[in-house]
Amino acid sequence: MADDPLVRAAREAQARAYAPYSQYRVGAALEAEDGRVFVGANVENASYGLGICAERSAVSAAVTAGALRFRRIVVVSDSEPPAAPCGACRQVLAEFGGDLVVEAVGPRSAARWRLDELLPATFRRATLDAVARGPVA
Ligand SMILES: [Zn+2]
């Protein structure tokens, strides 16, 4: 686990988290299909609701660099058991495919899922395309 380059990248991002309010620091490393790795950290704000999670921060960096297909995301925190992505981050990650491997890493243990296990019955682009036409029954 410690020699996994994605875990190392996520830990480095965690060290740069901006969490002056909660002191809860999270780092994420998102591996694109082409092998590039994008990192993110949580960024809090005095207006609490405007904070952004590490996972969405990493997605923003990836999309900005032109990456849209991903293999794996590692999320590191100091929680035991390790913290899985929040609901908002699950939804944002699902935009790019439900087969993403999600790994949560804490100080002593780790957990792994497929994204579609964490967010079943996902609201997707296909849902928007499936608008029922015709009169309402
Ligand atoms: Zn989140």
Side-chain angles (χ1 to χ4, degrees), residues 53 55-56 85-86 88-89:
C53 300
E55 299 93 318
R56 280 180 283 149
C86 77
C89 288

Side-chain angles (χ1 to χ4, degrees), residues 52-79:
I52 186 169
C53 300
E55 299 93 318
R56 280 180 283 149
S57 179
V59 167
S60 295
V63 171
T64 301
L68 298 174
R69 296 290 307 154
F70 307 105
R71 291 193 284 235
R72 187 164 66 116
I73 187 167
V74 170
V75 182
V76 299
S77 68
D78 295 326
S79 295

Side-chain angles (χ1 to χ4, degrees), residues 19-58:
Y21 305 103
S22 71
Q23 309 299 319
Y24 188 77
R25 306 168 80 80
V26 181
L30 179 62
E31 181 183 39
E33 275 189 354
D34 63 10
R36 288 184 290 168
V37 174
F38 300 93
V39 298
N42 56 323
V43 179
E44 295 180 349
N45 191 277
S47 178
Y48 291 174
L50 298 181
I52 186 169
C53 300
E55 299 93 318
R56 280 180 283 149
S57 179

Side-chain angles (χ1 to χ4, degrees), residues 70-117:
F70 307 105
R71 291 193 284 235
R72 187 164 66 116
I73 187 167
V74 170
V75 182
V76 299
S77 68
D78 295 326
S79 295
E80 281 295 336
C86 77
C89 288
R90 294 176 194 195
Q91 179 65 39
V92 168
L93 290 166
E95 179 72 15
F96 305 98
D99 58 348
L100 181 73
V101 173
V102 178
E103 292 180 29
V105 177
R108 289 182 294 283
S109 68
R112 171 188 271 233
W113 308 268
R114 271 178 51 117
L115 181 58
D116 51 18
E117 293 177 88

Side-chain angles (χ1 to χ4, degrees), residues 90-92 94-95 119-129:
R90 294 176 194 195
Q91 179 65 39
V92 168
E95 179 72 15
L119 190 67
T122 308
F123 186 89
R124 299 182 188 283
R125 178 189 299 201
T127 308
L128 296 174
D129 296 337

